[in-house]
Amino acid sequence: MDEKPTLATTGGPLATHEKNFSTPSDRDVEGETIPDDASLGKGDILQLESIDPVLNAKMHLVNNAIDEIGFTRYQWKLFVLNGFGYAVDSLILLIQSIIAGQAAIEFRPGYKNGLTIAAYVGMLSGALFWGLTADIVGRKFAFNCSLVVCSIFAIVAGASPNWEVLGLFVALSAFGGGGNLVLDTAVFLEFLPGSRQWMLTLMAAWWGVGQLIAGFFAWAFIPNYSCPDPVLIPAAGPCTRASNMGWRYVWFASGSLVFVMSILRITVIRLKETPKFLVSEGKDAECVETLQSIAQKYNRPCSLTFEKLTACGAIKVTREGKSKWSLGEVFMHLRGLFSTRRIAISTSLIWLSWVLIGLAYPLYNVFLPQYLASRGAKFGQTSAYITWRNYTLANFSGIWGPVLAGWMCQTRLGRKYTMVVGALVTCVFFFAYTQVRTEAQNIAFTCVVNFCLNIYYGTLYAYTPEVLPSAHRGTGNGMAVSGNRVMGILSAVIATAAGTGTAVPIYICAALYVVMAAIAALFPFEPYGRRSS
């Protein structure tokens, strides 16, 4: 009878490297050399944490193969088209806030913050649904479908006949866009060589690009195709659909752009299922085929074979229930995020960080205008040109925070202390912002805060999938982002009821960044010099 080979004798991480790789298994992983005979835990972030040593060994081999292939045009395509998924998330959130005022003049709603809540509800449900789908069905299906869903409902939103229908389509569009944020990082990460994982932080710069796109569309359409606000111009006539098409044009243009990008995702990338998902599902042959096809297309070496993977043994692929969509299957992925003590601590602290940033930043924006007004700040009546100019400057500044963070992540600061620096500097400028009294000071501090905040935010976006187990990465990422969305809903409710100029909420929100910095320092895993598992 044939015995199943064990890790000690058949190609586990200590034995699989036979010095026949061309170079990349020896390459630096973000400045740290990982030799061919690297011991368990030296090269991969979670390699000593998993309860399945066979899956550990196979992930190690897959990481070696990805490093061996290196960075190709395929990853560049992913960087651009996955990055646009980041942009879509910010695009949808900002568009609903940009057009809400003009749509409200036309529809006269009873609850003016309804669109904000609708957008966050859609983002929340999208993060949970598409995150689970990515772990249960696969990254490829969710990746190809979510943007299409977002684009269709964004276009339809522009034809809404009333406030309630508009809220529905905003929620449905956000449902597609919110799932993208979960998928973009996971898919990109699972094709990245270890030496390029810092690019996951850099990809957050696309968030600011989405904000810029929203601002340009608003600048182009709203000032030229909108009803006057009767609050500012009491003599203004009734606001009809024909005289108030600007906000609808914003939706049409945005939805059309997202639709084009969703088609490009399918036709340009032609995404293959990620090798790490395939391995976690026990599909070794498909994993090898995917990596070998990329290597062949871009004329790169790849020494991974089906025999090397199967020599590690068979992983435990269990199904909880009769269907992939059963509650047992969902709970199985949730349990996987707490499979060891360190992973449980890591997951809990990451989720807490997302909740805190989701509460602190929106609430600060809710209370700040009232507080500044109560302290005598005078920004004056600005023209539409000045308004959208300032908006563009602020969003342009936000693009460069992740760029700096990407560089910082490659230094000895690593991911954890890049987040610590970003959070503390943001806190300082949040406190300083309370002293703003003029328009020039206002725009200057807005730009600086956007820049500093995105150092923290962009790194957190990248850190989250990096330290989550691959088999449960979509679920963990989706839960993290959904906690952020819950706080966004809460901030919109508070914005409706808030009517105070006290400084207390401002200082509480700013102080939360000190808490976030402390949490970042306590994260148990540092991805610098390591590869995602």
Side-chain angles (χ1 to χ4, degrees), residues 13-14 34-44 47 60:
L14 299 178
I34 306 298
D36 277 276
D37 59 351
S39 61
L40 279 174
K42 260 196 172 181
D44 302 337
Q47 207 156 26
H60 192 80

Side-chain angles (χ1 to χ4, degrees), residues 21-155:
F21 288 179
S22 50
T23 54
S25 57
D26 301 320
R27 286 178 185 164
D28 285 349
V29 179
E30 299 197 1
E32 181 170 318
T33 300
I34 306 298
D36 277 276
D37 59 351
S39 61
L40 279 174
K42 260 196 172 181
D44 302 337
I45 297 169
L46 303 181
Q47 207 156 26
L48 289 177
E49 300 298 324
S50 176
I51 58 175
D52 189 346
V54 175
L55 181 58
N56 274 347
K58 291 189 176 185
M59 284 293 180
H60 192 80
L61 290 177
V62 169
N63 274 335
N64 289 339
I66 293 172
D67 282 352
E68 186 180 15
I69 294 169
F71 197 80
T72 69
R73 288 196 306 275
Y74 186 73
Q75 282 90 349
W76 274 121
K77 293 176 184 177
L78 286 174
F79 178 78
V80 173
L81 293 178
N82 286 36
F84 191 78
Y86 263 85
V88 168
D89 183 87
S90 61
L91 181 71
I92 297 301
L93 278 177
L94 278 174
I95 283 177
Q96 64 80 21
S97 64
I98 287 170
I99 65 93
Q102 282 304 131
I105 295 173
E106 181 179 338
F107 294 138
R108 300 184 180 278
Y111 193 78
K112 289 190 175 182
N113 287 317
L115 292 190
T116 300
I117 293 177
Y120 275 108
V121 167
M123 293 283 180
L124 166 63
S125 55
L128 291 173
F129 176 80
W130 294 112
L132 281 169
T133 300
D135 283 342
I136 294 173
V137 177
R139 294 11 173 181
K140 180 178 178 180
F141 171 80
F143 182 82
N144 286 338
C145 292
S146 55
L147 262 196
V148 176
V149 171
C150 176
S151 63
I152 290 173
F153 287 110
I155 293 171

Side-chain angles (χ1 to χ4, degrees), residues 378-445:
K378 297 183 182 299
F379 300 147
Q381 294 293 329
T382 58
S383 66
Y385 173 84
I386 296 297
T387 297
W388 294 114
R389 182 207 65 183
N390 292 351
Y391 184 88
T392 301
L393 288 173
N395 291 329
F396 181 75
S397 301
I399 294 174
W400 305 104
V403 174
L404 177 59
W407 175 80
M408 293 169 67
C409 284
Q410 298 179 79
T411 69
R412 291 298 176 182
L413 285 171
R415 274 56 157 178
K416 290 169 54 174
Y417 290 99
T418 295
M419 283 187 276
V420 170
V421 171
L424 292 179
V425 174
T426 302
C427 174
V428 169
F429 281 102
F430 265 22
F431 278 118
Y433 207 152
T434 59
Q435 303 305 310
V436 164
R437 295 294 179 267
T438 67
E439 173 62 22
Q441 293 171 348
N442 181 48
I443 186 57
F445 271 89

Side-chain angles (χ1 to χ4, degrees), residues 245-265:
M245 289 295 291
W247 68 267
R248 298 178 187 273
Y249 292 151
V250 171
W251 276 115
F252 293 149
S254 301
S256 299
L257 178 62
V258 176
F259 183 74
V260 169
M261 297 304 292
S262 67
I263 298 302
L264 290 177
R265 278 189 164 194

